[in-house]
């Protein structure tokens, strides 16, 4: 089994910052990509940012220049530094990890961590 352990969510004021972490544990050969999606109430889940094993990234236009993803391959951990947070960033943030094991890719989701941006 593979588990994604998330941390760092919470309540911040507009303009503030948060740092999310997601660590993958379990049995797998490697992780090809990790990242974050988010879902606000009544909205579709959307990609926020992901990073591949080669360091390539995908970043949603809505967070460009404000969110930065980084990855520690040795720890199988991904970090999301969120700056200049807006109320529109309020959502449940879900860590996503794509593992490679015996040539097969599997996608796993974390349980979600709440990020609330409010004054």
């Amino acid at each position: 089994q593979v588990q994604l352990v998330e941390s760092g969510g919470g309540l911040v004021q507009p303009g503030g910052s948060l740092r999310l972490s997601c660590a993958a544990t379990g049995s797998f050969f490697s992780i090809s990509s990790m990242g974050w999606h988010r879902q606000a109430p009544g909205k579709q889940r959307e990609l926020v940012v992901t990073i591949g094993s080669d360091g390539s990234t995908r970043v949603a236009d809505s967070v460009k220049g404000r969110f930065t993803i980084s990855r520690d391959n040795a720890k199988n951990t991904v970090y999301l530094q969120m700056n200049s947070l807006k109320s529109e960033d309020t959502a449940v943030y879900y860590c996503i990890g794509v593992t490679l094991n015996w040539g097969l890719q599997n996608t796993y989701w974390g349980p979600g961590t709440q990020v609330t941006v409010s004054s």
Side-chain angles (χ1 to χ4, degrees):
Q1 294 182 335
V2 175
Q3 295 83 38
L4 301 178
V5 182
E6 304 159 339
S7 63
L11 173 66
V12 296
Q13 294 184 333
S17 298
L18 282 175
R19 183 178 174 87
L20 304 183
S21 298
C22 177
T25 64
S27 179
F28 50 84
F29 179 73
S30 64
I31 300 178
S32 60
S33 65
M34 296 184 72
W36 297 89
H37 292 216
R38 68 186 181 186
Q39 186 169 24
K43 303 292 185 180
Q44 296 291 317
R45 187 176 298 189
E46 63 178 355
L47 181 147
V48 179
V49 58
T50 61
I51 184 168
S53 59
D54 62 352
S56 61
T57 60
R58 296 181 62 196
V59 186
D61 289 340
S62 59
V63 305
K64 284 183 178 178
R66 300 188 297 118
F67 290 12
T68 302
I69 191 169
S70 60
R71 179 172 176 173
D72 186 336
N73 291 327
K75 297 181 178 180
N76 293 318
T77 299
V78 65
Y79 307 93
L80 180 63
Q81 180 66 46
M82 304 186 294
N83 298 324
S84 301
L85 283 162
K86 306 173 181 179
S87 60
E88 303 93 270
D89 297 317
T90 296
V92 177
Y93 284 69
Y94 297 92
C95 182
I96 181 172
V98 180
T99 63
L100 178 65
N101 197 27
W102 294 105
L104 299 177
Q105 291 187 348
N106 290 284
T107 301
Y108 297 90
W109 294 94
T113 184
Q114 179 70 47
V115 172
T116 302
V117 185
S118 177
S119 60

